[in-house]
Amino acid sequence: MKPGAAEIHNFLETIIILTCLCGIGLAELSGSNLKSYQTEETSGRVKRSWVWNQFFVLEEYTGDDPLYVGKLHSDVDKGGGNIKYVLSGEGATSIFIIDENTGDIHATKRLDREEQAYYTLRAQAVDRLTNRPVEPESEFVVKIQDINDNEPTFLDGPYTAGVPEMSPVGTSVVQVTATDADDPTYGNSARVVYSILQGQPYFSVEPKTGIIRTALPSMDREAKDQYLLVIQAKDMVGQMGGLSGTTSVTVTLTDVNDNPPRFARKSYQYNVPESLPVVSVVAKIKAADADVGPNAEMEYRIIDGDGFGMFRVSTDKETQEGVITLQKELDFETKASYTLRIEATNKNIDPQFLSLGPFSDTTNVKIIVEDVDEPPIFTSPVNRMVVSEAAKVGTIIGTVAAHDPDASNSLIRYSIDRNTDLERFFNIDATTGVISTAKQLDREMNAVHNITLLAMESQDPTQVGRGIAVISVLDINDNAPMFAIEYETFLCESADPGQVIQTISAVDKDEPPNGHRFYFALTPEAASNLNFTLRDNKDNTASILTKRNGFRRQDQSIYKLPIFIMDSGSPSLSSTNTLTIRVCDCDPDGTAQSCNAEAYVLPAGLSTGALIAILACVLTLLVLVLLIVTMKRRKKEPLIFDEERDIRENIVRYDDEGGGEEDTEAFDMAALRNLNIIRDTKTRRDVTPEIQFFSRPSYKSIPDNVIFREFIWDRLKEADIDPSAPPYDSLQTYAFEGSGSVAESLSSLESLSTDSDQNYDYLSDWGPRFKKLADMYGNSEDSVFS
C-alpha cells in the first residue's frame, strides 16, 4: 500500500529540518572558534578569544565511519603545527575523540538519547612543545538529537474491567495509558493516539485520552458476558512512519436484575405416603432465573389452595429452591389430596428494570396422599384412671379403646407391655380392653403406675399401636403411726420433777386428704408409773416429763417407757412404741457425761474411754501372739503325725553301684520286724478323715516270711479303706513296651529267653557279688540248667 501525498510531504519536511539543524551547528562551531585569544593589560581583565555553542549529534547512527560532531579551532593556531587540542570530560576518548592537530571531534560509538541525552566535555589548546595551555580550558555540551526509535508501551497492561450489563452507550469502562520513551519536547515522536483494533462495534476508545466506552446499548450478560478488546497506541500523532504498541482489555459484563423468575411448568404433582413424619420434606420446586448472585435470590409462599396449615414452603438459601414441608400428620381416610398455589418472587428488584417484569411467577402443586397400612390408634393417647389400694384382685379399673384407621377396619387385640409392668399388677382383656387389677396394690410402695398399652391388628400382628395408661392408687388408712426417728433420751440424775426430757413426733406412710392428726398417750400399764408422764401438745408432738427427782444410775440406769400413738384415719390405726431413757451423770449445764452404772466403781484418774482403749490394745497384742505361735507350730509339724519317719521318705542315691543282695543299709528292716508295737492311726492335718481306722491286730511269733506277708497285707487293707490317705502305693511296670513296638520288651528278666549273642562270661571274673548274674546269663550249661 503506497503512502499518501500528505504523509510523504511530512516525512520530507522532517528530514529537511534535521539537515538544517546539523548544518547550523557545524557552521557555528567553525565560525565561533576563529576568534583570537588575546589579553589586554590595559583593560585589567582577560578576554576569551572563542565562543562555544552546543554541538548536536543524531542518535542511533549506523554508519561504518566515526560520526563527525564538530571542529575546535583557536585563534592562536596559525597553522604551524605548534598547537595541540586536548579533549576531556564525559565520554572523552571512549565515545568522543578529537584530532589533536585539526581539532575535529568524532563519535566512535552509536549513541542512544534514551540512555543519555547529553554529554559535558572540556576542550583546551596547549603548546605542543611546552605542553602548556595557550588558552584557559572551556566546557561545551554535546546534545543527542532524538529520532523516533521507541514505540509506545502500555506499562499496566493487559487490563481487566467490568461494566454492568444493559449500560447506556458511552458508559466509561476503563482508561488505558501508553508511554513513549522518545523526547516529548522534540517533534511528534512521543505524541500518541489510541485506536481500537478488536472489540467493535461493542466498545470504542477516545484517541487522545485512551478511555474505553460502551458503543452499543442493551448488552445482555446472559447472551455474552465477556469481551476481549485490543487497543493500539501509535506515536507521530498516528501518521505514517509512526511506531505503535498494543494491549488487551478483558471486559466482563456484571449482572443486574433484568430477568424475572419463571417456573418451568404451570403445575406439579407429587405423591406422598400418609405415614410421612411431620416436618419431613414433601417436594422441592424451583423457579428459573437467568440472573446470578443476589439478583437470583427467591422468596416462595403459598398464596392459595386447601393446604394452609398442613404444608409450609421455605427457600433453600444455597439452591434457591422452594422446599415444601409437612406441618401436620396426613390421613388418607380423611383427605386424599391437597392443592397449593405457590408464588416465587425476586428479593432484590431493580426499579429501572420494572418494565421487564413482573418479577414473580406462580405455579400449582398437587399433593396426593397414598394409603398405607397403619397401626391401630387409641381413642385417647393417655388414659388416666384411679383405683383404691384396698381394691381386691380382679377389680375393674377402666376401659381403653383403639381402632384401625385403615378402610379394612381390622379387629383389635389388646395387651400390656410387661416391660412397664414388671410385677404384673394389672391385666387387660384382649378383646374388650378392660383393665383390672391382678395383684394387691400398695400405694405406699407405688402411688402411680405408668403402663404402656399395646393394640394390634388381628389380621396383621405386626401393626401395633401404643397408648399410655396412668393409674393412680388412692390411699386408705392401712399404716399405723410410729416414731418419726429412733429417739435416744438422756435423763440427768439431777432432773427436777416436771422437767421435759424429750419431745417426740410421729410419721405415717398414709396421706389423708386433710393431713395427719396424731394422738399420744402412755399405755394403760405405764400410765400409773411413778417416774414419767406424757403431755400431748396437740400439734402432732408430745413431751415426756419427769414425775419425781432423785434418779440414780446405780439403782436403775435404763427405763423403758411404752407410748401409744393413734392417727385420725377412718378407721383409725394405732401402735405402741417404746422410748428408751438412760440415766446419766450430767455437768451443771445439763449435758450428759456418763450414762453407765459402772462409772461409780471405776478407779479415780482413768475415764471409761481410756480403759476401753487399754483393753482393746491388750486384746490385739494377745491375738497377734497367738497367731505367731500357731504359724510357727504349723511350720514345725509334719503333714502326717508319726513318731517314726516313714520309709517312703528315705532318700535313695542312684549315682553309685549297689552292693547287690548283701547291701541292706538303704532300708530300715527294724521297722518291719518290730511288729509287737501297735502304732497310732496316722491323721492328716489337711484332711479330716471320715472313717475311723480299726486297731491293728497284734502279731504272734510266727515265721518271718509269713509275718511280713500278713503285715504288708494289713497295711494294704488299711490304705484301701482309708478315703483320706493319698495314693502313695502305686505299681509302675516298665517291662513291656507295648504291642507292635519295634523295641519289643525292655525287661532284663526276659533276657534268658532271647536269642542275644552277647557273652556274659566275664561276670564270673567280677567277684562273688556278681555270681548270681553270672550263673543266670553265663554260657555254662551246668550252672544254668542243673
Side-chain angles (χ1 to χ4, degrees):
M1 185 176 180
K2 296 183 179 179
E7 294 179 349
I8 295 174
H9 175 74
N10 292 332
F11 179 71
L12 294 175
E13 187 178 40
T14 302
I15 294 177
I16 293 172
I17 292 173
L18 292 174
T19 304
C20 293
L21 289 173
C22 292
I24 293 172
L26 294 174
E28 288 180 346
L29 284 173
S30 59
S32 61
N33 295 330
L34 295 176
K35 299 223 178 173
S36 61
Y37 175 75
Q38 296 178 348
T39 302
E40 298 181 1
E41 299 294 338
T42 56
S43 63
R45 61 184 178 86
V46 177
K47 179 181 178 182
R48 292 183 60 186
S49 60
W50 50 13
V51 178
W52 300 100
N53 290 312
Q54 291 181 347
F55 290 94
F56 292 90
V57 61
L58 287 175
E59 66 172 334
E60 303 297 343
Y61 172 72
T62 59
D64 296 334
D65 299 327
L67 177 63
Y68 182 74
V69 178
K71 184 180 180 63
L72 297 179
H73 184 72
S74 174
D75 293 340
V76 180
D77 187 3
K78 303 301 183 179
N82 56 344
I83 298 299
K84 181 173 68 172
Y85 296 95
V86 179
L87 187 66
S88 63
E90 289 182 301
T93 69
S94 60
I95 298 176
F96 301 100
I97 60 174
I98 188 171
D99 189 328
E100 62 180 15
N101 296 319
T102 62
D104 293 332
I105 300 175
H106 290 81
T108 60
K109 292 183 179 180
R110 197 167 94 174
L111 303 176
D112 188 355
R113 189 201 66 84
E114 285 70 37
E115 291 183 2
Q116 188 166 345
Y118 63 90
Y119 296 86
T120 302
L121 299 172
R122 294 184 298 276
Q124 191 172 33
V126 298
D127 186 278
R128 185 178 297 273
L129 297 177
T130 63
N131 207 27
R132 295 180 59 187
V134 296
E135 290 186 359
E137 187 179 60
S138 296
E139 259 185 8
F140 65 94
V141 176
V142 177
K143 283 192 173 183
I144 310 304
Q145 189 67 47
D146 184 41
I147 64 173
N148 189 20
D149 59 342
N150 291 280
E151 69 277 358
T153 57
F154 294 90
L155 300 179
D156 298 328
Y159 296 84
T160 58
V163 63
E165 63 174 332
M166 311 301 290
S167 296
V169 176
T171 302
S172 176
V173 179
V174 69
Q175 183 178 14
V176 297
T177 303
T179 58
D180 196 319
D182 292 325
D183 189 358
T185 62
Y186 178 76
N188 296 324
S189 298
R191 295 181 61 186
V192 178
V193 294
Y194 301 93
S195 61
I196 183 168
L197 301 181
Q198 179 181 319
Q200 295 175 330
Y202 306 102
F203 299 93
S204 63
V205 62
E206 293 184 358
K208 294 183 178 180
T209 61
I211 296 176
I212 300 173
R213 300 182 183 275
T214 58
L216 285 180
S218 305
M219 284 191 292
D220 192 0
R221 185 198 65 83
E222 288 72 32
K224 186 176 181 180
D225 63 345
Q226 197 171 80
Y227 296 85
L228 181 61
L229 282 61
V230 177
I231 304 299
Q232 181 189 66
K234 190 174 184 180
D235 58 15
M236 298 298 293
V237 201
Q239 296 179 3
M240 181 184 296
L243 303 178
S244 63
T246 60
T247 188
S248 64
V249 180
T250 301
V251 180
T252 302
L253 297 183
T254 58
D255 186 52
V256 298
N257 193 4
D258 60 337
N259 293 279
R262 291 292 180 263
F263 284 105
R265 296 160 55 185
K266 288 300 180 183
S267 64
Y268 298 86
Q269 179 174 312
Y270 300 96
N271 294 354
V272 294
E274 64 174 332
S275 59
L276 188 70
V278 176
V279 194
S280 297
V281 175
V282 175
K284 293 183 179 181
I285 59 175
K286 184 175 182 179
D289 192 331
D291 297 322
V292 294
N295 297 320
E297 292 181 357
M298 301 284 184
E299 284 183 344
Y300 295 88
R301 63 190 183 100
I302 300 174
I303 60 175
D304 197 6
D306 56 0
F308 284 107
M310 287 293 298
F311 303 95
R312 176 177 176 269
V313 62
S314 59
T315 304
D316 188 326
K317 302 300 182 184
E318 298 295 329
T319 64
Q320 297 302 316
E321 291 178 309
V323 182
I324 303 173
T325 54
L326 182 64
Q327 297 297 104
K328 295 181 180 179
E329 291 184 353
L330 297 172
D331 187 5
F332 171 80
E333 289 72 23
T334 304
K335 190 173 179 60
S337 66
Y338 296 87
T339 301
L340 307 175
R341 187 166 182 81
I342 298 178
E343 180 186 58
T345 307
N346 272 145
K347 290 180 63 175
N348 306 304
I349 299 176
D350 194 337
Q352 64 177 333
F353 299 110
L354 286 176
S355 59
L356 303 176
F359 283 83
S360 64
D361 195 16
T362 59
T363 188
N364 294 322
V365 178
K366 186 174 184 180
I367 300 173
I368 297 177
V369 182
E370 296 177 342
D371 187 23
V372 296
D373 191 7
E374 299 176 275
I377 299 175
F378 280 91
T379 304
S380 176
V382 180
N383 299 271
R384 300 186 181 276
M385 305 174 186
V386 294
V387 61
S388 173
E389 65 176 325
K392 298 181 179 179
V393 175
T395 301
I396 296 176
I397 303 173
T399 304
V400 296
H403 67 280
D404 184 4
D406 299 319
S408 59
N409 196 18
S410 299
L411 293 178
I412 305 300
R413 294 187 62 83
Y414 301 93
S415 62
I416 295 175
D417 185 355
R418 291 304 176 183
N419 290 324
T420 60
D421 185 25
L422 296 176
E423 299 185 22
R424 296 179 177 266
F425 284 109
F426 306 97
N427 286 330
I428 186 170
D429 190 283
T431 305
T432 62
V434 174
I435 300 176
S436 59
T437 58
K439 283 185 178 181
Q440 188 67 39
L441 302 177
D442 187 358
R443 189 205 63 84
E444 287 70 36
M445 294 295 295
N446 193 351
V448 178
H449 295 266
N450 197 333
I451 62 176
T452 299
L453 306 176
L454 306 178
M456 64 183 68
E457 295 181 7
S458 300
Q459 299 177 358
D460 186 4
T462 61
Q463 296 295 331
V464 180
R466 286 173 169 77
I468 297 176
V470 180
I471 303 174
S472 300
V473 182
L474 299 179
D475 185 37
I476 63 171
N477 192 26
D478 59 343
N479 292 277
M482 61 184 63
F483 278 157
I485 60 173
E486 192 71 25
Y487 290 100
E488 187 176 7
T489 304
F490 299 100
L491 172 63
C492 293
E493 292 179 322
S494 60
D496 298 326
Q499 181 177 338
V500 176
I501 61 174
Q502 183 71 62
T503 299
I504 61 175
S505 61
V507 293
D508 193 332
K509 294 181 179 179
D510 298 319
E511 293 184 358
N514 299 324
H516 290 289
R517 175 67 179 92
F518 300 118
Y519 303 94
F520 299 87
L522 296 177
T523 59
E525 60 271 17
S528 60
N529 79 90
L530 302 177
N531 299 312
F532 306 99
T533 185
L534 182 145
R535 181 180 67 204
D536 192 339
N537 297 326
K538 309 299 182 182
D539 59 354
N540 292 338
T541 65
S543 300
I544 308 300
L545 301 89
T546 57
K547 281 187 175 181
R548 64 177 180 88
N549 58 5
F551 291 95
R552 293 168 55 83
R553 284 176 294 167
Q554 49 268 53
D555 294 340
Q556 186 173 350
S557 62
I558 297 176
Y559 293 88
K560 302 289 186 179
L561 185 64
I563 299 175
F564 176 81
I565 307 175
M566 184 177 65
D567 60 20
S568 59
S570 179
S572 61
L573 297 178
S574 62
S575 67
T576 300
N577 299 262
T578 302
L579 180 67
T580 301
I581 303 173
R582 295 181 181 274
V583 181
C584 303
D585 180 27
C586 301
D587 59 11
D589 296 330
T591 304
Q593 298 295 317
S594 176
C595 299
N596 295 325
E598 292 79 2
Y600 286 98
V601 299
L602 293 177
L606 286 177
S607 64
T608 303
L611 290 176
I612 292 174
I614 293 172
L615 182 60
C617 293
V618 172
L619 290 176
T620 303
L621 291 175
L622 289 176
V623 170
L624 290 175
V625 171
L626 290 176
L627 287 175
I628 294 171
V629 172
T630 303
M631 294 301 294
K632 287 184 176 180
R633 293 187 61 185
R634 280 182 174 272
K635 292 181 180 179
K636 292 180 179 180
E637 294 180 359
L639 187 62
I640 299 176
F641 295 100
D642 198 356
E643 296 91 352
E644 300 178 11
R645 299 192 61 82
D646 194 8
I647 61 175
R648 291 190 298 270
E649 298 177 358
N650 290 345
I651 300 175
V652 180
R653 297 177 59 187
Y654 295 97
D655 58 347
D656 61 345
E657 294 182 355
E661 294 180 347
E662 298 179 2
D663 186 3
T664 58
E665 295 178 0
F667 302 94
D668 187 3
M669 301 302 293
L672 293 176
R673 294 181 181 277
N674 190 12
L675 303 178
N676 295 326
I677 300 174
I678 300 177
R679 299 178 182 180
D680 295 334
T681 303
K682 298 181 179 64
T683 58
R684 293 189 59 193
R685 299 184 62 189
D686 58 341
V687 179
T688 302
E690 297 180 359
I691 299 176
Q692 298 294 332
F693 296 132
F694 298 103
S695 60
R696 298 193 183 100
S698 60
Y699 297 95
K700 298 178 180 180
S701 299
I702 53 179
D704 288 346
N705 57 347
V706 178
I707 292 174
F708 290 155
R709 183 170 61 252
E710 290 181 357
F711 174 78
I712 294 173
W713 186 254
D714 290 341
R715 285 294 184 91
L716 181 60
K717 287 182 179 179
E718 289 180 3
D720 290 341
I721 65 175
D722 184 6
S724 61
Y728 288 127
D729 301 319
S730 61
L731 179 62
Q732 302 293 336
T733 302
Y734 301 98
F736 186 63
E737 178 68 11
S739 61
S741 172
V742 177
E744 298 181 348
S745 174
L746 300 179
S747 174
S748 62
L749 300 177
E750 296 179 4
S751 301
L752 186 63
S753 61
T754 60
D755 297 333
S756 174
D757 295 331
Q758 186 173 356
N759 187 3
Y760 295 97
D761 293 338
Y762 60 87
L763 294 175
S764 301
D765 302 330
W766 284 10
R769 292 187 178 184
F770 297 92
K771 182 178 183 301
K772 187 170 291 186
L773 287 176
D775 295 337
M776 293 176 62
Y777 293 97
N779 291 331
S780 174
E781 296 182 359
D782 295 337
S783 62
V784 176
F785 299 103
S786 61

